[in-house]
């Protein structure tokens, strides 16, 4: 518009077909979106998609895992039906920590007390820390990746050699830390050993958690719940972050800490996927 860029649509093309994907889609990240000016209008976004479909009419464009509050979501939903949706969990941070803790269910509050009592009864040395992603050493990063792969292997999929290479080299969650100013990491240690970590990305007044893992040998002490609780207390005291997004997955601990469901959606733009009204226009 007037030779000024108002929206950037980062895409990568499959080497085997005419399929295009949003950058980050196939690098293991939970949400994808465009880069655009804050004052961009819906008509401008729609015009960009119309130009894309006109210039590359024989191609298919995949917009996977788009949040409902994304500026492109209503446009995509208007011209194409979602082909998939995923459940996500977030926590709205309102008031102070006492307000937050009081809003939890009786069982959730008791779970926190039980976890803390177990730590005290076992005379474990429990410590938490928060650091900028840029300040993470290579040794600590490798330790976090190893813990994440161990958790992945025991709960979700069989991890192989190539998975290790991917997460140490290409994964946007881990590899972005050293290069971005808006990354931070929360860590929990038990007796000096890393028991849980949470990698976070700041996006305005929300904090996204693309990577979280616990050491199963400490599961008796509920390290995931304790770490999230520590992070929430820190964020409420800081007062900047209003939404704490634990992203995809409906693990029980997310609801124990007060999480609420929301969804992200996947769309495909191609000749055969557009709604009749979009094709007519």
């Amino acid at each position: 518009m007037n030779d000024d860029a108002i929206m950037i649509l980062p895409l990568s093309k499959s080497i085997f077909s005419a399929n295009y994907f949003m950058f980050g889609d196939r690098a293991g990240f939970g949400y994808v979106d465009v880069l655009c000016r804050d004052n961009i209008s819906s008509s401008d976004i729609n015009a960009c998609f119309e130009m894309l479909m006109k210039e590359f009419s024989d191609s298919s464009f995949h917009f996977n895992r788009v949040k409902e509050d994304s500026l492109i979501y209503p446009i995509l939903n208007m011209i194409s039906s979602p082909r998939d949706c995923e459940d996500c969990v977030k926590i709205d941070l309102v008031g102070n920590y006492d307000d937050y803790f009081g809003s939890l269910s009786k069982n959730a509050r008791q779970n926190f007390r039980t976890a803390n009592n177990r730590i005290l009864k076992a005379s474990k040395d429990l410590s938490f820390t928060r650091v900028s992603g840029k300040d993470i050493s290579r040794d600590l990063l490798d330790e976090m990746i190893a813990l994440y792969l161990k958790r992945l292997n025991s709960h979700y999929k069989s991890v192989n050699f190539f998975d290790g290479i991917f997460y140490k080299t290409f994964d946007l969650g881990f590899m972005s830390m050293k290069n971005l100013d808006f990354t931070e990491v929360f860590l929990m240690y038990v007796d000096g050993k890393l028991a849980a970590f949470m990698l976070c990305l700041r996006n305005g007044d929300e904090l996204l958690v693309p990577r979280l893992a616990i050491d199963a040998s400490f599961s008796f002490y509920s390290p995931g719940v304790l770490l999230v609780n520590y992070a929430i207390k820190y964020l409420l005291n800081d007062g900047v972050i209003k939404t704490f997004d634990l992203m995809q997955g409906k693990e029980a601990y997310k609801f124990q800490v007060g999480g609420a469901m929301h969804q992200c959606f996947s769309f495909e733009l191609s000749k055969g996927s557009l709604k009749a009204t979009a094709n007519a226009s």
Side-chain angles (χ1 to χ4, degrees), residues 156-278:
Y156 301 102
K157 58 171 286 186
S158 178
V159 173
N160 56 42
F161 171 79
F162 296 102
D163 290 314
I165 296 297
F166 171 80
Y167 282 101
K168 290 182 179 181
T169 310
F170 300 108
D171 179 71
L172 287 181
F174 289 115
M175 294 303 106
S176 64
M177 289 195 303
K178 305 299 290 183
N179 301 303
L180 300 176
D181 294 324
F182 47 85
T183 63
E184 50 193 282
V185 181
F186 292 90
L187 304 149
M188 172 180 164
Y189 291 88
V190 176
D191 290 342
K193 184 177 179 181
L194 182 63
F197 76 85
M198 186 165 56
L199 191 162
C200 307
L201 300 174
R202 294 191 308 276
N203 178 36
D205 64 356
E206 65 178 354
L207 196 68
L208 310 178
V209 185
R211 299 286 176 263
L212 184 152
I214 69 169
D215 186 334
S217 65
F218 295 109
S219 59
F220 180 69
Y221 306 108
S222 305
V225 171
L226 290 178
L227 180 60
V228 171
N229 181 62
Y230 165 79
I232 289 174
K233 181 181 290 188
Y234 173 89
L235 296 172
L236 284 169
N237 289 336
D238 190 50
V240 175
I241 299 299
K242 303 303 180 185
T243 301
F244 188 42
D245 196 334
L246 297 169
M247 304 181 73
Q248 279 92 343
K250 296 186 291 184
E251 293 87 348
Y253 80 89
K254 295 182 180 180
F255 300 101
Q256 291 177 17
V257 295
M261 291 269 291
H262 69 105
Q263 292 181 316
C264 62
F265 298 85
S266 296
F267 298 86
E268 179 183 349
L269 299 189
S270 63
K271 283 182 178 179
S273 69
L274 299 183
K275 292 179 179 178
T277 53

Side-chain angles (χ1 to χ4, degrees), residues 14-50:
S14 169
I15 61 175
F16 302 109
S17 64
N19 287 301
Y20 288 82
F21 298 85
M22 289 283 286
F23 183 74
D25 181 357
R26 295 189 288 178
F29 199 73
Y31 303 138
V32 298
D33 211 335
V34 299
L35 304 172
C36 60
R37 295 183 182 273
D38 292 335
N39 61 349
I40 191 171
S41 67
S42 296
S43 59
D44 289 334
I45 297 174
N46 191 46
C48 289
F49 283 126
E50 286 182 350

